[in-house]
Amino acid sequence: MADSSAPTRVMMAVNESSLKGYPHPSISCRAAFDWMLSKLVRSNTDGFHLLFLHVQVPDEDGFDDVDSIYASPTDFQSMKQRDKIRGIHLLEYFVNQCHQLGIKCEAWTKQGDPKEVICHEVKRVQPDLLVVGSRGLGPFQRCAPHSN
Amino acid sequence: MADSSAPTRVMMAVNESSLKGYPHPSISCRAAFDWMLSKLVRSNTDGFHLLFLHVQVPDEDGFDDVDSIYASPTDFQSMKQRDKIRGIHLLEYFVNQCHQLGIKCEAWTKQGDPKEVICHEVKRVQPDLLVVGSRGLGPFQRCAPHSN
């Protein structure tokens, strides 16, 4: 139980609120973040290293964004650009929070199916713990990968 | 992130080694316990309250214990008594470890199907986190209940 050991690396999958034009964390991932701080990190800010992953579903806003008309490849390019900026804003929220609390962190975005990308990134990054919001997944919302 | 708040209550389902006549923790639940200490509790022993649950499957040793002959109800009674003592030895291991480390804990046994009993006890006790060993459950071995 020596805290001289490597910090506990917690990966957290974060997503946006589903409200349009509201590039902020969803209620469930903000709740998961608060839960992690109060129940896992507690006052032990040096003992944890947080890894924020935001998975962007390609074209997820393409069909119901009434403000946009897609008439050329450039339109899609600008949409992708806008999604990218949203993702960065989202991660900025968590990185700012960690910075204020003095917790080391990293954040990045990936494109694809969230479930597949999260599994892929867990294998690649090998965190000690994975935290995800509930999003209707039932009573068990946060899982830790087998690290042994 | 105040550690003046209530400690994080971690429930851990523990089971015996499958080696006969060896009433000790299984390798997987001992690994999960060590993981929890090094990755969650770390040096923050005051911030955690551990809850050990051992689910005993009724008559699980009834068919392959070649040293026993069951000829009367009393024989089964003595077998149950022996299982109970084994369960207590198992919990004693974890309670002793916690005592040495200065971590508050509680431990108890229940009879029944492990999956059902664990779910029931999670609902009843409402821990912040549930830790279980892998036992071939795939890459995700430890899950936390939705506490919100």
Side-chain angles (χ1 to χ4, degrees):
Chain A
M1 269 203 313
D3 262 21
S4 57
S5 65
T8 300
R9 295 163 74 243
V10 183
M11 185 186 283
M12 193 176 161
V14 296
N15 63 313
E16 287 179 344
S17 167
S18 57
L19 296 172
K20 293 291 162 202
Y22 195 70
H24 294 309
S26 69
I27 291 169
S28 76
C29 83
R30 205 186 303 203
F33 180 63
D34 292 343
W35 174 87
M36 179 179 60
L37 292 179
S38 65
K39 295 299 181 183
L40 297 186
V41 177
R42 302 185 63 98
S43 63
N44 189 9
T45 50
D46 290 340
F48 288 82
H49 187 148
L50 307 184
L51 308 161
F52 297 99
L53 166 64
H54 173 48
V55 184
Q56 293 187 306
V57 182
D59 299 343
E60 67 179 331
D61 292 329
F63 290 105
D64 54 359
D65 193 336
V66 291
D67 295 336
S68 304
I69 296 168
Y70 305 105
S72 77
T74 326
D75 292 338
F76 289 95
Q77 202 56 46
S78 68
M79 187 183 72
K80 283 179 188 169
Q81 190 60 29
R82 193 195 56 193
D83 283 352
K84 196 173 176 184
I85 291 167
R86 279 188 171 195
I88 291 169
H89 276 162
L90 178 70
L91 294 178
E92 192 180 15
Y93 170 84
F94 291 102
V95 172
N96 280 345
Q97 293 272 315
C98 288
H99 188 76
Q100 284 173 24
L101 296 165
I103 305 171
K104 276 184 191 158
C105 71
E106 285 169 56
W108 69 102
T109 62
K110 284 272 173 187
Q111 287 220 337
D113 174 68
K115 203 172 163 183
E116 282 175 21
V117 173
I118 290 168
C119 287
H120 182 270
E121 291 297 280
V122 163
K123 284 179 192 158
R124 187 180 69 83
V125 175
Q126 303 207 321
D128 298 302
L129 202 73
L130 171 67
V131 174
V132 294
S134 60
R135 301 189 69 185
L137 299 174
F140 291 92
Q141 71 169 328
R142 306 173 192 98
C143 293
H146 188 149
S147 54
N148 302 318
Chain B
M1 272 203 313
D3 262 22
S4 57
S5 65
T8 300
R9 296 164 74 243
V10 184
M11 184 186 282
M12 192 176 161
V14 296
N15 63 313
E16 286 179 344
S17 167
S18 57
L19 297 172
K20 294 292 162 201
Y22 195 70
H24 294 307
S26 68
I27 290 169
S28 75
C29 83
R30 205 185 304 201
F33 179 64
D34 291 343
W35 173 86
M36 179 178 60
L37 291 180
S38 65
K39 295 299 181 184
L40 298 186
V41 177
R42 302 185 63 98
S43 63
N44 190 9
T45 49
D46 290 340
F48 288 82
H49 187 148
L50 307 184
L51 309 161
F52 298 99
L53 166 64
H54 174 48
V55 184
Q56 293 187 306
V57 182
D59 299 343
E60 68 179 331
D61 291 330
F63 290 105
D64 54 359
D65 194 335
V66 292
D67 295 335
S68 303
I69 296 168
Y70 306 105
S72 76
T74 327
D75 293 337
F76 289 95
Q77 202 58 44
S78 68
M79 186 183 71
K80 283 179 188 168
Q81 189 61 29
R82 193 195 56 193
D83 283 352
K84 196 174 175 182
I85 291 168
R86 278 189 172 196
I88 291 169
H89 276 161
L90 177 70
L91 294 178
E92 191 180 15
Y93 169 85
F94 292 102
V95 172
N96 280 345
Q97 293 272 316
C98 288
H99 188 76
Q100 284 172 23
L101 296 164
I103 305 171
K104 277 184 190 158
C105 71
E106 286 170 56
W108 68 102
T109 62
K110 285 272 173 187
Q111 287 220 338
D113 174 67
K115 204 171 163 185
E116 283 176 21
V117 173
I118 290 169
C119 287
H120 183 269
E121 291 296 281
V122 163
K123 284 180 193 159
R124 187 180 68 83
V125 175
Q126 303 205 322
D128 297 303
L129 203 74
L130 171 67
V131 173
V132 295
S134 60
R135 302 189 70 185
L137 299 174
F140 291 91
Q141 71 169 328
R142 307 174 192 98
C143 292
H146 188 149
S147 54
N148 302 319

